[in-house]
Amino acid sequence: MATGKNAVWDWEIKARTSWWGSSPAELWSYRHLLVGLIRRDFLLGYQQTILGPFWVLLQPVMTMVTYVLVFGKIVGVSTGQVPPVLFYLAGIVLWNLFNDSFMGTSGTFRDNAHLFSKVYFPRLVLPFAQFSTYLISYGIQFLFLLLVLGYYSLFNSWHASPLGWMLLVPFVTALVGAQSLAWGLLFSVFTGKYRDLKFVVGLGVRLLMFLTPVIYPVQYVAEKWRWVVELNPLTPLFELFRWCLFGQGSVTAGQIAYSTGFTLVLFTAALLTFNKQGDKLVDVV
């Protein structure tokens, strides 16, 4: 590092903001902070609890049991040829990734104002760390889903789809994760400025679940209202997810293209907005 008028600094904090935010090289230099935050968030969530990390599995299992009893037995929602346990568990696992990531990252500025005001680091590090933590939980729940799927395939007459289709599961996971992170980045800016919007976010996510085929197949919806569900960019991804695992789902190439395009546009817009408004919000929150 040189001194004087033409000094060259390792890094420099400037007053102006940028749409593009930190460079990849700068983000990479904070990789150790990212890993530390991921570890902290994951371990902190289960400290001083009786079951510890087993809560990662207990929550989807209890939710699945409730859905099977209420929607499967009482309401009588048909899950086609897929056993209700597998149908609901697959929807719950994928929805948890979207819901937890969205809700967790949407409060980035509101919940970490004390940290942002004391030390500098790229603002994207925190939402990326939170998202990575939820991605780990999703991975554990997905492995449990595969175990249940294997049980039904080995000890019941029901058989899953060919294993080749499961290669699309990472594609579905990436799109659902990108959508949840994008909405989280976008609403973190809004809730940073207007704190009461956090109640709207919670209500909106709960309502969105009923427009997403988590607890019902798309075919169960009446024809005249099906377009409302199909307008939701998450719908093709949930249907494709079940198609990959069970060989059952109502999805077309056009719907997948629509969901993919929507995700890319949304993620780009959210990233630019977050980068542009991030440094300004530190003075607001």
Side-chain angles (χ1 to χ4, degrees):
M1 182 179 65
T3 58
K5 185 176 181 180
N6 298 321
V8 179
W9 303 93
D10 293 330
W11 49 274
E12 182 179 357
I13 303 175
K14 300 179 180 179
R16 62 178 182 272
T17 59
S18 170
W19 289 101
W20 300 108
S22 304
S23 65
E26 183 181 8
L27 289 174
W28 176 251
S29 67
Y30 284 89
R31 62 190 181 278
H32 301 297
L33 174 61
L34 177 65
V35 173
L37 289 173
I38 294 172
R39 183 180 179 184
R40 182 207 66 175
D41 291 342
F42 187 80
L43 295 179
L44 193 62
Y46 302 105
Q47 282 185 346
Q48 296 182 328
T49 59
I50 297 176
L51 297 179
F54 284 103
W55 281 111
V56 175
L57 297 178
L58 185 62
Q59 186 270 340
V61 169
M62 295 302 296
T63 306
M64 178 267 295
V65 171
T66 304
Y67 286 176
V68 169
L69 291 177
V70 175
F71 298 103
K73 302 297 183 181
I74 299 177
V75 180
V77 175
S78 174
T79 58
Q81 298 179 349
V82 181
V85 169
L86 287 174
F87 182 90
Y88 290 119
L89 187 58
I92 291 167
V93 167
L94 193 59
W95 177 257
N96 282 348
L97 173 63
F98 177 83
N99 177 79
D100 295 345
S101 300
F102 179 22
M103 295 297 294
T105 55
S106 65
T108 297
F109 289 104
R110 185 185 70 246
D111 300 334
N112 299 282
H114 61 289
L115 191 58
F116 287 147
S117 61
K118 289 182 174 63
V119 61
Y120 171 79
F121 57 90
R123 308 308 181 200
L124 280 172
V125 170
L126 266 179
F128 281 173
Q130 291 175 316
F131 172 74
S132 299
T133 303
Y134 298 125
L135 196 60
I136 294 173
S137 300
Y138 164 79
I140 297 173
Q141 294 175 4
F142 182 74
L143 289 177
F144 176 73
L145 171 61
L146 291 182
L147 291 176
V148 178
L149 179 61
Y151 170 82
Y152 272 87
S153 299
L154 292 174
F155 301 102
N156 289 273
S157 57
W158 182 84
H159 296 286
S161 63
L163 292 177
W165 286 108
M166 291 190 182
L167 296 176
L168 290 176
V169 169
F171 171 74
V172 175
T173 301
L175 288 183
V176 173
Q179 278 199 43
S180 63
L181 181 58
W183 284 118
L185 292 176
L186 205 57
F187 274 88
S188 68
V189 175
F190 299 150
T191 57
K193 289 184 177 180
Y194 312 104
R195 299 203 169 209
D196 54 345
L197 284 181
K198 66 179 181 180
F199 304 110
V200 178
V201 171
L203 177 62
V205 171
R206 286 192 291 270
L207 294 178
L208 181 62
M209 192 188 76
F210 292 102
L211 291 178
T212 307
V214 177
I215 56 178
Y216 58 84
V218 171
Q219 298 92 327
Y220 190 80
V221 182
E223 285 283 351
K224 65 177 181 179
W225 298 113
R226 191 172 299 175
W227 68 272
V228 179
V229 176
E230 292 177 343
L231 193 63
N232 177 4
L234 287 173
T235 295
L237 301 179
F238 275 76
E239 289 294 296
L240 180 59
F241 187 70
R242 289 195 176 104
W243 176 265
C244 294
L245 295 175
F246 313 134
Q248 177 176 313
S250 177
V251 63
T252 64
Q255 291 172 332
I256 296 174
Y258 158 70
S259 184
T260 303
F262 180 91
T263 303
L264 293 176
V265 172
L266 175 66
F267 188 80
T268 302
L271 196 62
L272 294 177
T273 303
F274 184 91
N275 288 332
K276 186 64 176 177
Q277 300 295 326
D279 293 328
K280 296 180 181 179
L281 280 174
V282 176
D283 298 326
V284 177
V285 297

